[in-house]
Amino acid sequence: MNRQEFQKLCREKILFLDGATGTNLQKAGMPTGVCPEAWILEHPDVLKQLQREYFEAGSDIVLAPTFTSNRIKLEEYGLADEIKTMNHRLVALSREAAGEHGMVAGDMTMTGRQLAPMGNMRFEDLVDIYREQAGYLADAGVDLFIVETMMSLNECRAALLAIREVSDLPVLVTLSFNEDGRTLFGTDARTAMVVLQSLGADAVGVNCSTGPEQMAGLVTDMKAYANIPVIAKPNAGMPEVVDGKTVYRMTPEEFASEALLLLEAGAGILGGCCGTTPAHIRALKEAVKGRKVPDISQTYHRVLASERQTLDIELDGGFLVVGERINPTGKKKLQAALREGQMDMVMDMALAQEEKGAAILDINMGMNGIDEKEMMLKTIDIVTQTVNLPLCIDSSHVDIIEAALRVYPGRALINSISLEKEKFERLLPIAKKYGAMFILLPLSDEGLPKDSREKTEIIHRIMDRAMELGFHKEDIVVDGLVATVGANRRAAMETLDTIAYCHDNLGLATICGLSNISFGLPERSYVNTAFLTMAISRGLTMAIANPSQDLLMHAAFASDLLMNRPGADVRYIERMNEFKDQKASESASPTAAMTPGERIFEAVLKGNQGGILKLVTEGLEGGLLPDDVIQKSLIPAIQKVGEFFEQQKYFLPQLIASAETMEKAIDYLEPMLKKDDAEEKATIIMATVEGDIHDIGKNLVVLMLKNYGYRVIDLGKDVSKERIVAAAIKENAAIIGLSALMTTTMMRMRDVVEYAAEQGCKSKIIIGGAVTTQSFADEIGADGYSRDAAEAVHLVERLLQSAP
């Protein structure tokens, strides 16, 4: 089945996937702690019988049991050398169950290793891992691919790119979201849809995490931006403990009834995840019989996205500023910092521009004396951790733009694509491959267009070619090509005519670089501001500018107000109130230089790993005591980071960056602390339970607790109850922290609680992980539950304070 046939099928009928595999195999006797794929190959009839039952219940597609058959996962069982054979054999089992009419999807998921900068895996290494498995699955004859239960948007991108580079079969991608509507890494449902469909996914959706009713809102959010089918694969409710076993109480009838909400929300591909059985799929198919297939929208959105935020660009909406500051041209201090590999200024510029109202950040690393590609990639890592704004990738070199687009965990804007031969022929296909929007620059190999007629011809030639490649007009932003009015008296009028033509005649968004218009003139800010207001009145969508220029920004907000753009009145009033408050604050207390302790605090808050040791050293040389640095700067800073995380001002990348910054400072200071001055804090044992090989959440808790001064012993992942309890008794641990990500392993937490009681272990036991809840903690007799690392610190403090 090719991609066109898949889309046609989705327009004609509601497609049904299968239900759970893991929980049903466990019922059939698969123990925890074994390699699931190896067990299936040893018990092939169990899998084939289950999948035959799914087909009989109404599934159109079953997932081959290749979920964790990638090299990294198989290495943990010593089976990496069997990867090709195992993937081929597992697909063959599903193909046998499918017979002549059922479809088989190659199933792929997370590797358990984290991408840099949060982990140590390079993006290309992850693509290689996925590409290898995808190649074996394609060779084995799958009909399509499903990448599921994902938590990282960039891992989704890596898998999708890898599959696309070995196969042109349909690719479906589903993510798992927390109760707050975001993935572990902070991605919301709309952003996931925008990024993945632009990258070429054939369907995007949600699986696991919740029951059908709770999933409906996520489907609605995705559907609002979708031009492809939406997938919904919920659990049979949330797991509960009954008679010592994990069970899902939702009956097939209840599941089917609630799942109608998913269809109504716009999901056209339905199935089940944990706890569902063939009976659930049968009831689901019966419930939707005769229902209308959800429409697949042909209305395209002009939208960019970072990993954590979507930006709608309306043709007649609020004016947008593309922050221009992260560009070394003419900035000697920034050039010097980049040559030294120091990224503090880049981080500060990103934060300042976001605070001042930029909607997009332009990233340009063009200068002598550095490796521009390496610095571009490093800057993208830093900026995407620091702020939530989408990026504009700005370079004269095609290979640098491609390298940046490949790793960027969002949907970027390219600055720019002209009719110059290399950019026209090479960059348009690259932009399409990576799902980027692009700035259309009306230049050719002959240089600037001679007149407006030639400029218009260039715009149409680039636009026509883009449409042939599958772009839509919503993917294009035309540069008005501003020349200096000092050299050409009609420069402003010609640009304004281009803006109006694109807006009124072509329905295209427009952009310009404001500063060119005033080059060589005195008091340039007035010229720039006057030109901006004129351009907005003619339909200008955005401009590349410095958002810290108050006159310019005020004029833009006022122009929106006078143009009667939606919400402009409220935005203008809010901005003026903020500006007034800021000026009043500055008058009342003129800005003073930060103290060394305040600079250390700020570095942790911003996650400035590169500069923290220098700041700590300066503080010590200035008279700060090591313990004061920890107690008065580092700990208050990480507490503030925790508050921001709870308020969703910060997400996982910022939390990790700040925690690692603090860890660096603590490691540096620790040898300087006098033993009698250093407070002896409790010992905590941390482990991911037996059978579970996911550890990102546990690792972050370890990092946070260490930063608070606790003695933390990390036993790793897939740890037996005997080893956990023995370590706790030996080390006289006050707390045991347990993590689990899978419903198939969460009951091992209960095993640890019971075994600890049997052995007389006095440690308090706390639990966490995507599948756990407070009610589950209560049911198994744990002493506490935390949703995340920041909450885990508070939980530990409460338990220790209440201890006798």
Side-chain angles (χ1 to χ4, degrees):
M1 178 173 60
N2 62 36
R3 298 175 66 189
Q4 292 72 29
E5 290 168 341
F6 175 78
Q7 293 298 330
K8 182 174 182 290
L9 189 62
C10 290
R11 287 192 295 271
E12 293 172 347
K13 63 174 291 187
I14 298 166
L15 278 183
F16 292 91
L17 304 175
D18 58 10
T21 296
T23 51
N24 286 308
L25 293 181
Q26 281 195 321
K27 288 179 187 176
M30 185 178 75
T32 56
V34 302
C35 173
E37 290 81 3
W39 188 89
I40 289 167
L41 291 174
E42 293 168 0
H43 305 82
D45 291 338
V46 175
L47 185 280
K48 287 190 290 184
Q49 179 61 30
L50 175 63
Q51 294 196 327
R52 286 193 187 106
E53 290 177 7
Y54 276 127
F55 280 120
E56 290 168 2
S59 295
D60 299 294
I61 302 167
V62 298
L63 280 60
T66 55
F67 186 63
T68 53
S69 291
N70 59 67
R71 180 168 294 277
I72 289 176
K73 291 288 191 182
L74 293 178
E75 272 178 356
E76 297 178 3
Y77 300 103
L79 296 169
D81 291 342
E82 303 296 319
I83 181 172
K84 177 179 179 180
T85 301
M86 291 181 71
N87 276 280
H88 282 196
R89 290 178 64 194
L90 291 164
V91 171
L93 292 178
S94 293
R95 179 62 67 196
E96 189 176 340
E100 295 183 7
H101 304 294
M103 288 182 282
V104 175
D107 192 18
M108 300 169 64
T109 192
M110 300 178 293
T111 65
R113 293 268 303 280
Q114 303 308 312
L115 284 169
M118 286 177 282
N120 58 10
M121 175 167 275
R122 294 173 57 251
F123 185 81
E124 282 308 315
D125 292 337
L126 182 58
V127 173
D128 288 344
I129 292 292
Y130 283 133
R131 188 191 292 116
E132 179 185 31
Q133 186 186 7
Y136 295 141
L137 292 172
D139 290 345
V142 297
D143 298 296
L144 68 161
F145 290 86
I146 295 183
V147 180
E148 64 164 340
T149 323
M150 301 297 282
M151 297 183 182
S152 161
L153 184 58
N154 223 16
E155 286 187 35
C156 293
R157 293 182 68 258
L160 183 51
L161 285 169
I163 295 168
R164 281 281 169 261
E165 289 171 3
V166 299
S167 172
D168 198 37
L169 292 173
V171 183
L172 288 58
V173 185
T174 61
L175 299 92
S176 294
F177 294 84
N178 299 328
E179 290 180 4
D180 62 3
R182 292 181 178 272
T183 67
L184 180 64
F185 288 79
T187 301
D188 61 274
R190 288 173 296 181
T191 298
M193 174 57 74
V194 166
V195 172
L196 295 173
Q197 78 172 354
S198 68
L199 196 62
D202 296 283
V204 173
V206 193
N207 82 291
C208 209
S209 307
T210 68
E213 183 178 5
Q214 297 83 358
M215 192 175 280
L218 298 169
V219 172
T220 299
D221 288 346
M222 286 190 171
K223 188 66 176 176
Y225 288 82
N227 303 117
I228 55 177
V230 179
I231 309 162
K233 210 175 179 221
N235 294 339
M238 295 302 290
E240 300 177 37
V241 178
V242 177
D243 296 331
K245 295 182 179 180
T246 305
V247 299
Y248 290 83
R249 289 183 177 275
M250 184 173 279
T251 67
E253 292 73 25
E254 291 168 338
F255 178 82
S257 177
E258 283 195 14
L260 290 177
L261 296 173
L262 301 172
L263 183 66
E264 292 165 3
I269 303 175
L270 301 172
C273 204
C274 299
T276 58
T277 66
H280 289 80
I281 300 302
R282 180 176 291 105
L284 174 61
K285 185 157 188 178
E286 185 64 30
V288 304
K289 188 179 293 182
R291 299 269 181 157
K292 185 178 179 293
V293 179
D295 292 330
I296 298 174
S297 174
Q298 297 302 304
T299 300
Y300 297 93
H301 295 265
R302 190 178 288 105
V303 59
L304 295 173
S306 67
E307 187 176 18
R308 301 178 292 277
Q309 183 172 293
T310 294
L311 174 69
D312 287 292
I313 302 170
E314 302 290 344
L315 204 59
D316 293 303
F319 179 76
L320 304 174
V321 169
V322 180
E324 68 179 7
R325 298 291 295 154
I326 305 177
N327 183 334
T329 304
K331 301 182 183 77
K332 291 183 179 180
K333 287 185 178 179
L334 179 58
Q335 291 175 11
L338 294 175
R339 288 193 182 100
E340 293 294 320
Q342 294 296 320
M343 305 303 289
D344 302 14
M345 283 189 70
V346 168
M347 187 181 298
D348 290 341
M349 286 175 170
L351 286 164
Q353 290 184 107
E354 182 178 47
E355 183 179 339
K356 288 292 186 178
I360 304 163
L361 296 184
D362 188 82
I363 308 294
N364 183 310
M365 288 291 116
M367 60 173 277
N368 296 323
I370 63 170
D371 182 327
E372 184 180 344
K373 183 186 292 186
E374 180 184 336
M375 190 58 69
M376 173 66 83
L377 299 181
K378 187 174 182 180
T379 300
I380 287 173
D381 277 350
I382 293 291
V383 173
T384 53
Q385 279 190 87
T386 304
V387 298
N388 296 325
L389 302 180
L391 302 186
C392 177
I393 308 300
D394 185 356
S395 177
S396 301
H397 303 287
V398 172
D399 63 315
I400 292 174
I401 290 175
E402 179 170 20
L405 292 175
R406 192 166 176 86
V407 302
Y408 177 57
R411 189 185 193 210
L413 178 65
I414 296 174
N415 188 6
S416 54
I417 299 179
S418 65
L419 197 56
E420 295 163 294
K421 182 177 175 62
E422 183 184 27
K423 289 195 172 183
F424 182 64
E425 294 182 354
R426 290 185 57 199
L427 256 185
L428 275 174
I430 288 170
K432 182 61 181 172
K433 175 178 179 177
Y434 294 103
M437 290 179 64
F438 70 92
I439 296 173
L440 187 162
L441 183 66
L443 288 177
S444 68
D445 287 320
E446 282 70 43
L448 289 169
K450 296 185 293 293
D451 50 34
S452 295
R453 181 173 170 275
E454 184 180 350
K455 186 192 287 189
T456 301
E457 288 175 354
I458 293 172
I459 290 171
H460 278 279
R461 283 191 62 186
I462 298 173
M463 183 177 172
D464 290 346
R465 178 57 181 152
M467 298 303 175
E468 290 172 3
L469 291 172
F471 286 95
H472 303 280
K473 67 179 182 179
E474 291 80 10
D475 302 321
I476 303 171
V477 182
V478 177
D479 191 322
L481 203 60
V482 178
T484 176
V485 75
N488 174 8
R489 293 181 181 180
R490 286 195 49 78
M493 301 308 298
E494 289 171 356
T495 299
L496 294 175
D497 288 344
T498 300
I499 291 167
Y501 175 75
C502 291
H503 177 278
D504 299 342
N505 295 62
L506 302 180
L508 294 176
T510 51
I511 190 171
C512 67
L514 286 177
S515 57
N516 288 349
I517 194 70
S518 61
F519 184 77
L521 295 175
E523 301 297 339
R524 296 177 62 187
S525 63
Y526 297 110
V527 179
N528 294 344
T529 303
F531 177 64
L532 173 64
T533 60
M534 295 170 69
I536 291 174
S537 74
R538 299 294 291 275
L540 183 67
T541 315
M542 62 183 83
I544 300 174
N546 181 355
S548 65
Q549 296 176 347
D550 290 328
L551 176 63
L552 191 90
M553 295 297 288
H554 295 344
F557 277 74
S559 296
D560 277 352
L561 172 68
L562 296 174
M563 292 288 292
N564 193 28
R565 289 181 169 170
D569 50 352
V570 174
R571 290 198 301 273
Y572 178 78
I573 293 168
E574 288 177 346
R575 180 173 180 85
M576 291 304 105
N577 286 338
E578 288 172 7
F579 182 71
K580 181 181 177 182
D581 291 344
Q582 177 190 336
K583 288 300 179 184
S585 174
E586 289 173 358
S587 299
S589 53
T591 303
M594 284 194 290
T595 65
E598 289 170 339
R599 286 198 292 272
I600 294 168
F601 178 97
E602 195 75 6
V604 173
L605 200 64
K606 293 178 179 178
N608 184 2
Q609 297 178 55
I612 186 65
L613 295 187
K614 180 174 180 289
L615 293 172
V616 169
T617 300
E618 290 173 354
L620 295 174
E621 291 173 351
L624 291 179
L625 297 174
D627 190 57
D628 285 344
V629 172
I630 293 173
Q631 299 299 328
K632 297 179 180 179
S633 296
L634 296 178
I635 289 179
I638 205 68
Q639 287 172 337
K640 177 60 71 174
V641 169
E643 290 175 19
F644 284 173
F645 184 74
E646 290 169 358
Q647 296 163 6
Q648 290 199 350
K649 292 181 180 178
Y650 275 13
F651 298 99
L652 187 64
Q654 291 108 320
L655 181 64
I656 290 178
S658 292
E660 289 181 343
T661 301
M662 181 174 174
E663 183 184 37
K664 223 174 187 180
I666 296 255
D667 288 346
Y668 178 73
L669 291 167
E670 202 166 30
M672 305 177 197
L673 296 172
K674 295 178 183 177
K675 282 295 178 186
D676 52 357
D677 287 345
E679 181 186 350
E680 288 291 332
K681 299 196 82 169
T683 296
I684 301 172
I685 301 292
M686 291 294 301
T688 300
V689 295
E690 187 173 15
D692 203 314
I693 50 180
H694 302 90
D695 62 0
I696 182 171
K698 182 263 299 175
N699 291 347
L700 185 53
V701 173
V702 168
L703 182 58
M704 291 287 283
L705 289 171
K706 282 183 175 179
N707 285 345
Y708 276 80
Y710 294 104
R711 177 174 175 254
V712 183
I713 299 172
D714 183 2
L715 300 181
K717 54 191 177 184
D718 190 18
V719 187
S720 69
K721 63 184 180 184
E722 291 84 4
R723 187 177 163 209
I724 293 169
V725 173
I729 293 172
K730 178 184 176 183
E731 301 294 339
N732 193 29
I735 304 277
I736 295 172
L738 303 176
S739 175
L741 187 70
M742 303 186 297
T743 57
T744 52
T745 59
M746 60 192 294
M747 286 310 299
R748 304 291 75 74
M749 293 176 161
R750 184 205 61 181
D751 295 346
V752 174
V753 171
E754 293 178 350
Y755 187 71
E758 291 172 9
Q759 299 300 308
C761 178
K762 303 300 183 184
S763 307
K764 300 282 188 181
I765 298 178
I766 63 174
I767 68 169
V771 295
T772 60
T773 61
Q774 181 62 58
S775 62
F776 178 71
D778 296 339
E779 288 169 0
I780 67 172
D783 297 289
Y785 156 79
S786 72
R787 293 173 301 171
D788 51 54
E791 192 175 284
V793 174
H794 300 317
L795 174 61
V796 166
E797 288 174 344
R798 288 198 305 272
L799 289 175
L800 292 178
Q801 287 170 4
S802 64

